[in-house]
Amino acid sequence: MANFAIDAVKATTYDAIVIGSGISGGWAAKELTEKGLRTLVLERGRDVKHVVDYPTTMLNTWEMEHRGQLPLGIRQENPIVGKCYAFHEASAHFFVKDAEHPYVQEKPFDWIRGYQVGGKSLLWARQTQRWSQFDFDGPARDGFAVEWPIGYADIAPWYSHVEKFAGITGNKDGLAQLPDGEFLPPHEWNCVEKYFSQQMAAKYKDRPVIMGRAAHITQPQPIHLQQGRAKCQHRNICVRGCPFGGYFSSNASTLPWAAKTGKLTLRPHSVVHSIIYDEKKGKATGVRVIDANTKEMIEFYARIIFVNAAAMNTNLVLLNSTSNRFPNGLGNDSGVLGKYVAFHNYRAGISGEYDGFLDSTTEGRRPNGPYIPRFRNVFKQETDFLRGYAAGFSANRMSRTNQDGFGVDLKNSLANPTLGGWSVNSHMMGETIPKVTNFVALDKDLKDPFGIPQIRFSVAYDDNDDKMVKDYQEQMMEMFTAAGFKNLRVRDENRNPGIDIHEMGGVRMGKDPKTSMLNKWSQLHHCKNVFVTDGASMTSTSTQNPSLTYMALTARAADYAVKEMKKMNL
Ligand SMILES: Cc1cc2nc3c(=O)[nH]c(=O)nc-3n(C[C@H](O)[C@H](O)[C@H](O)COP(=O)(O)OP(=O)(O)OC[C@H]3O[C@@H](n4cnc5c(N)ncnc54)[C@H](O)[C@@H]3O)c2cc1C
């Protein structure tokens, strides 16, 4: 009998466990398996195999039951995720259904999730910018949150490492506030975008308009071909999953790469309940999982654990990992677990029209667009709010199709739309300040369908965010006017926190274990064999799209963890 027990433990024991298979978990799996670790990836959702599990990827809009739209009933059943711009008939299967995954909104928070192998890497808009030293300096310089324990020099080689593998298109712009990376050739401008960029360069010293940097393969390198990925086809229906692997997703890239090592075990339908802490050993020994199909609780064991469940779920897992030693959540001696949550604010935008370049139009599609790096409070404090915003920009030729008539006449008029002027658009990408009053906690009474306490959100905008929205509107109005754009309309959509998806914090990095959860290696100060490398670890948010930084932090932490395992018997 005893032997059976030992065999059973052996069968569920690995070198490493990774919780979550999205962008950061996929990177943890790749790095750890490549370094020879038998790695178990636990994913709460179903499996999504590259290519074969992208059911809508080859469909034309007219081949879908609702022509790409979602019926009112589905929208009404999903009041939260239904607000996400990317949720439609071709992509709905990669989003969670609201009713199946309840959470508590002490204050309104639109929590957008993708629970499946690959996580939100199948849904993301693939924008990838590096942080600069100015971003890491933010909290200490401006006196909020805590000081970052790392700087640009610590992460720069890891940005290069992940960029080369993922494939990032971009232009070397030579900007101090947005360091260049290992870029594949950039996407092309259209004439109005180029014109706007030139106008801004002539008028402002510090407001460059650059081509976006994005995780698309514009010129495959041997490393991409080895992954079985090909050049991006500019289909612009990325959210359905890309059969060419033209953009980076865990499903197309890191997970199959990890599987090829022979060291990966991927277990879908495995909802991690908590991390097991062994007081005698003074470390975590494994995780408790609820099998989503059988509802059975199973334990898995490993020497190191990477928590990559996406920021808020990572908070939930740690808060739910209680023991005599850690009654308030794993590693939470400081009491900061769940606190200092921050997010991105995309509330504001501006649109207008331009009546130049009427002899030109665009051809084809482009899965990317121009980007205006942050220009407020970068080098010094210059406004009555802290931090700043980046902005997206795009210009498109407006067209009208005449839908009258039948048969050949209708086809001809649809194929030959009447061209109008150009529309120009921008949206704000603002930084929010992590505050102790923006937090998540476990609800004392309510449980999810797996018997796990529901997470409770108490997260809101503040005065700083409102001032930033106003400044974005004023500055963009000035910039659009200077470029000769007309009929300008600014907006503040006043949407709830969360809908802009980039959730961060709660398990922040910091130098001092009394005020932070993680050290400079993304390792829990008080439970050294547990690493957190998703958005939960972010001390502050800056304005860049965050996922590239999670990838780099993950690869960096994995490298350290494997070296430490040998040295410190982790
Ligand atoms: C429409 C959209 C557009 C976006 N655009 C961009 C962009 O342009 N640039 C950018 O940088 N980011 C963008 N993002 C955000 C980006 O997708 C996330 O930052 C990124 O996926 C986070 O990686 P992650 O590994 O932390 O989480 P995810 O990719 O969400 O993966 C987390 C995984 O953990 C699993 N999981 C959760 N809880 C548990 C549990 N208890 N047990 C087991 N498994 C669990 C989930 O099912 C999921 O598969 C976008 C997101 C969306 C939805």
Side-chain angles (χ1 to χ4, degrees), residues 19-26 42-45 84-86 95 112-129 239 250 270-273 308-311 313-314 316-317 346 452 500-503 533-536 544-548 550:
I19 304 174
S21 65
I23 290 190
S24 63
L42 295 165
E43 166 54 53
R44 67 178 299 152
C84 179
Y85 73 91
F95 288 89
I112 306 302
R113 292 160 287 168
Y115 288 172
Q116 62 257 323
V117 166
K120 298 194 291 287
S121 77
L122 290 163
L123 295 169
W124 70 319
R126 307 148 324 266
Q127 291 292 304
T128 38
Q129 311 93 15
V239 75
S250 305
S270 304
V271 185
V272 172
H273 171 282
N308 296 98
N313 270 318
T314 284
L316 195 163
V317 169
Y346 284 23
I452 297 172
D500 300 317
I501 307 161
H502 304 159
E503 54 193 48
T533 61
D534 61 16
Q544 286 85 329
N545 294 70
S547 308
L548 184 74
Y550 307 162

Side-chain angles (χ1 to χ4, degrees), residues 46 48-49 51-70 86 88-95 122-123 235-243 247:
R46 68 191 167 95
V48 173
K49 291 233 175 345
V51 185
V52 293
D53 287 327
Y54 304 155
T56 55
T57 192
M58 298 310 279
L59 294 184
N60 290 301
T61 311
W62 59 87
E63 292 171 311
M64 288 178 229
E65 192 181 350
H66 303 102
R67 308 292 182 265
Q69 303 295 313
L70 278 173
H88 46 68
E89 190 176 24
S91 62
H93 48 285
F94 291 147
F95 288 89
L122 290 163
L123 295 169
R235 301 191 323 148
N236 278 23
I237 46 176
C238 315
V239 75
R240 305 178 186 186
C242 179
Y247 74 86

Side-chain angles (χ1 to χ4, degrees), residues 150-443:
I150 55 170
Y152 181 67
D154 296 302
I155 199 169
W158 296 101
Y159 276 135
S160 293
H161 179 77
V162 299
E163 284 165 346
K164 284 185 212 155
F165 189 83
I168 307 292
T169 163
N171 186 50
K172 289 208 185 275
D173 299 295
L175 303 172
Q177 70 274 36
L178 202 76
D180 292 331
E182 310 286 339
F183 294 142
L184 302 172
H187 282 119
E188 281 178 35
W189 303 84
N190 68 41
C191 54
V192 175
E193 293 165 352
K194 189 78 207 155
Y195 162 80
F196 182 59
S197 169
Q198 286 163 346
Q199 292 288 309
M200 293 304 100
K203 183 168 166 62
Y204 300 97
K205 282 200 301 286
D206 60 348
R207 300 190 185 187
V209 182
I210 64 170
M211 182 41 69
R213 300 164 179 187
H216 283 263
I217 299 180
T218 49
Q219 193 176 80
Q221 302 301 305
I223 189 67
H224 307 126
L225 300 175
Q226 284 161 31
Q227 294 170 47
R229 297 173 57 203
K231 188 172 175 175
C232 168
Q233 306 292 304
H234 288 206
R235 301 191 323 148
N236 278 23
I237 46 176
C238 315
V239 75
R240 305 178 186 186
C242 179
F244 302 93
Y247 74 86
F248 172 87
S249 68
S250 305
N251 312 62
S253 177
T254 44
L255 291 173
W257 191 266
K260 268 202 274 183
T261 64
K263 300 280 181 186
L264 174 74
T265 303
L266 173 63
R267 192 177 198 281
H269 304 294
S270 304
V271 185
V272 172
H273 171 282
S274 53
I275 296 172
I276 305 163
Y277 182 77
D278 184 320
E279 274 176 47
K280 286 202 199 96
K281 292 183 179 154
K283 62 181 181 181
T285 49
V287 300
R288 297 179 195 93
V289 165
I290 317 264
D291 185 297
N293 292 322
T294 64
K295 300 274 165 85
E296 184 193 1
M297 187 180 271
I298 314 167
E299 293 187 354
F300 293 97
Y301 309 100
R303 293 163 64 196
I304 55 166
I305 297 166
F306 269 65
V307 196
N308 296 98
M312 297 302 110
N313 270 318
T314 284
N315 275 274
L316 195 163
V317 169
L318 293 184
L319 284 163
N320 202 35
S321 302
T322 52
S323 57
N324 284 334
R325 167 69 184 84
F326 294 114
N328 301 315
L330 188 67
N332 190 18
D333 288 358
S334 60
V336 299
L337 176 59
K339 296 176 185 153
Y340 300 97
V341 165
F343 55 97
H344 277 162
N345 171 9
Y346 284 23
R347 258 164 55 188
I350 181 167
S351 59
E353 289 168 23
Y354 187 56
D355 51 17
F357 294 103
L358 293 179
D359 56 351
S360 305
T361 187
T362 57
E363 195 184 48
R365 296 172 231 168
R366 186 188 58 196
N368 192 7
Y371 180 83
I372 308 172
R374 180 174 141 213
F375 55 83
R376 283 307 220 190
N377 304 324
V378 178
F379 305 105
K380 60 177 186 345
Q381 183 61 34
E382 57 195 357
T383 67
D384 64 347
F385 59 87
L386 290 180
R387 315 307 299 153
Y389 47 82
F393 175 73
S394 64
N396 291 292
R397 192 83 196 259
M398 295 181 283
S399 64
R400 268 183 301 276
T401 44
N402 178 0
Q403 299 188 9
D404 296 338
F406 294 98
V408 175
D409 287 348
L410 176 61
K411 278 189 186 168
N412 283 341
S413 56
L414 291 178
N416 298 293
T418 316
L419 286 178
W422 290 83
S423 71
V424 288
N425 287 284
S426 167
H427 65 278
M428 162 190 176
M429 302 187 235
E431 173 167 1
T432 68
I433 306 296
K435 296 179 294 257
V436 69
T437 47
N438 274 349
F439 64 90
V440 291
L442 298 186
D443 194 90

